[in-house]
Amino acid sequence: MKLWLDALTPKQGRLLAFIARELSSRGHKTLVTARLYDYTIATMKRCSVEPIVVGVYGGASLRGKLEADVERMRLLLEVVGDDFDVLVAYVNPSAARVAFGLGKPYVALTDSPHSRAVSLLSLPLASHVVYPSCIPRTEFEHYVDVRRTKLVPYVGVDEVLWLREFVSSKSILAELGLEELEYVVVRPPEIWASYHPGSPGELWLGIVEGLVRRGYTVVYMPRYGAEDPLLRRVEGRVVVPDYEKGVDGPSLEFFAAAVVTGGATMARESALLGTPGITLYPGKLYVNEFVSSLGLPLHRASSPRQVAEIVDRYARMPREELRQRARRVIENLESPLEPLLRILHSIEAGLQEQ
């Protein structure tokens, strides 16, 4: 089959890069596109996938998001055309609309029912929705018509796909001038995302300053490049990975003392590696609660003081014990690849019967 995969964010880029490589190894033809945003393109290239760059991020305003999405839809139709059998993507309004308009199946991957706007614009157009079973089915039922869209759960989380075969590389330490367990990765929230209520800059400035006072090097990963609202205030005191080159995220997290993020993916990914992951995301996330319930070091915090206390607590614990526990957990979890392969096999069989 000819499969089209489209990524919007760095997390989606990594996930879909691994899926594209696996599908190609199984004889499928894959076309991979991605939006120019954050570390997305660099992440995919580091995963040995060279995407076609189509469209840009719309910024903070609703009008900017709408204009960028409308333009991206036009560009996708121009670049991709109708030369594909199935679209595989995360919740993705522009790609979903193109696939739907051309009468092609759209297999949606998601762990984010809280991302209401893009879910409303994407999931109703999907033939299948693949999601972690720790999220109640009802969280997705109100987005779709269950008579035409199949909800397909799996026992695991997205990050298992690329962490199952993960091998750490200390080259990241030399690349950024770091020492193992002597730095903390800090990733601010997506305050311009439709689902995020925003987060004051003073909070994140306090987190960075508190960690620096404790003697840690801070690796700061801005969300919006030079437009990151906090970047100018922390420059000169932190290490900022190059946007063009990107960074080996899992290795960076593996050797860190901790990872602090305003989102969820990096904190969850870190915990699955045995590195303390701390999220300041203000809402309830089923996937985070699931990972925490497995005994992995994933925590919520709401202040610089709480962040510092969690980092200090783990500084006194043997890291290898945490890593071994994380490896045992990953071995017993599924990734979205398993249900996706079953779905694609079913779609291919249906196409052959036509």
Side-chain angles (χ1 to χ4, degrees):
M1 278 197 303
K2 295 180 179 179
L3 305 175
W4 170 31
L5 297 88
D6 185 57
L8 300 178
T9 68
K11 182 262 185 77
Q12 294 176 26
R14 187 177 297 277
L15 178 69
L16 292 172
F18 273 76
I19 289 175
R21 283 163 43 186
E22 179 65 27
L23 293 175
S24 296
S25 74
R26 292 170 179 262
H28 294 290
K29 294 182 179 179
T30 60
L31 172 65
V32 183
T33 54
R35 177 181 64 180
L36 185 62
Y37 168 68
D38 200 14
Y39 290 99
T40 304
I41 306 303
T43 296
M44 299 184 83
K45 289 180 177 180
R46 281 195 174 245
C47 295
S48 302
V49 170
E50 187 86 29
I52 300 172
V53 181
V54 182
V56 298
Y57 180 59
S61 73
L62 292 177
R63 185 179 182 87
K65 293 179 192 295
L66 178 59
E67 289 176 344
D69 212 40
V70 170
E71 175 63 8
R72 187 163 195 267
M73 206 180 305
R74 183 189 69 78
L75 292 172
L76 285 172
L77 184 58
E78 184 179 296
V79 170
V80 179
D82 62 356
D83 190 27
F84 67 97
D85 297 309
V86 183
L87 165 66
V88 178
Y90 235 70
V91 282
N92 183 324
S94 46
R97 184 63 184 87
V98 170
F100 180 79
L102 295 173
K104 308 286 187 176
Y106 162 39
V107 181
L109 311 175
T110 181
D111 64 0
S112 310
H114 59 279
S115 187
R116 183 166 174 78
V118 292
S119 294
L120 278 170
L121 293 169
S122 305
L123 296 185
L125 306 183
S127 61
H128 299 77
V129 177
V130 179
Y131 66 97
S133 61
C134 60
I135 304 174
R137 178 185 172 92
T138 52
E139 290 288 320
F140 298 105
E141 284 180 333
H142 65 269
Y143 287 124
V144 305
D145 180 350
V146 293
R147 294 169 299 180
R148 68 168 299 274
T149 300
K150 295 181 181 178
L151 299 177
V152 185
Y154 66 96
V155 184
V157 290
D158 293 335
E159 293 78 12
V160 170
L161 177 58
W162 61 85
L163 295 181
R164 186 178 285 152
E165 305 298 330
F166 169 72
V167 177
S168 62
S169 171
K170 285 194 173 184
S171 64
I172 188 64
L173 302 180
E175 184 179 330
L176 297 178
L178 304 171
E179 296 292 333
E180 183 175 357
L181 302 181
E182 293 186 8
Y183 65 93
V184 176
V185 180
V186 173
R187 175 81 152 152
E190 284 191 279
I191 57 173
W192 294 347
S194 61
Y195 62 83
H196 207 286
S199 182
E202 297 305 318
L203 169 65
W204 287 90
L205 184 61
I207 289 171
V208 170
E209 291 177 339
L211 293 169
V212 170
R213 281 197 302 270
R214 279 172 160 73
Y216 290 103
T217 298
V218 170
V219 179
Y220 184 77
M221 301 189 67
R223 288 280 182 181
Y224 308 110
E227 296 181 50
D228 183 294
L230 191 60
L231 188 56
R232 291 181 182 177
R233 302 179 69 181
V234 299
E235 276 184 322
R237 291 181 286 173
V238 299
V239 175
V240 181
D242 186 287
Y243 249 65
E244 294 294 323
K245 293 171 56 181
V247 67
D248 177 0
S251 286
L252 180 66
E253 296 158 1
F254 184 80
F255 295 113
V259 172
V260 186
T261 176
T265 298
M266 287 185 68
R268 193 164 55 247
E269 184 179 55
S270 300
L272 286 161
L273 290 168
T275 297
I278 305 168
T279 176
L280 281 83
Y281 184 79
K284 175 181 179 180
L285 297 175
Y286 292 105
V287 280
N288 278 14
E289 293 187 348
F290 173 65
V291 170
S292 293
S293 73
L294 300 174
L296 298 181
L298 178 58
H299 301 273
R300 285 180 65 183
S302 59
S303 69
R305 180 178 177 180
Q306 288 182 342
V307 168
E309 289 173 349
I310 294 170
V311 174
D312 288 346
R313 185 195 322 160
Y314 280 100
R316 298 187 292 269
M317 297 177 62
R319 182 54 57 89
E320 189 53 36
E321 181 180 322
L322 293 173
R323 291 170 176 170
Q324 289 178 3
R325 184 189 307 166
R327 283 194 289 269
R328 290 194 297 269
V329 167
I330 287 179
E331 288 172 0
N332 291 298
L333 294 177
E334 285 185 298
S335 82
L337 179 64
E338 288 84 6
L340 175 61
L341 291 174
R342 293 193 294 269
I343 291 166
L344 293 178
H345 178 75
S346 174
I347 293 174
E348 186 172 31
L351 291 174
Q352 291 174 348
E353 291 176 0
Q354 293 179 1

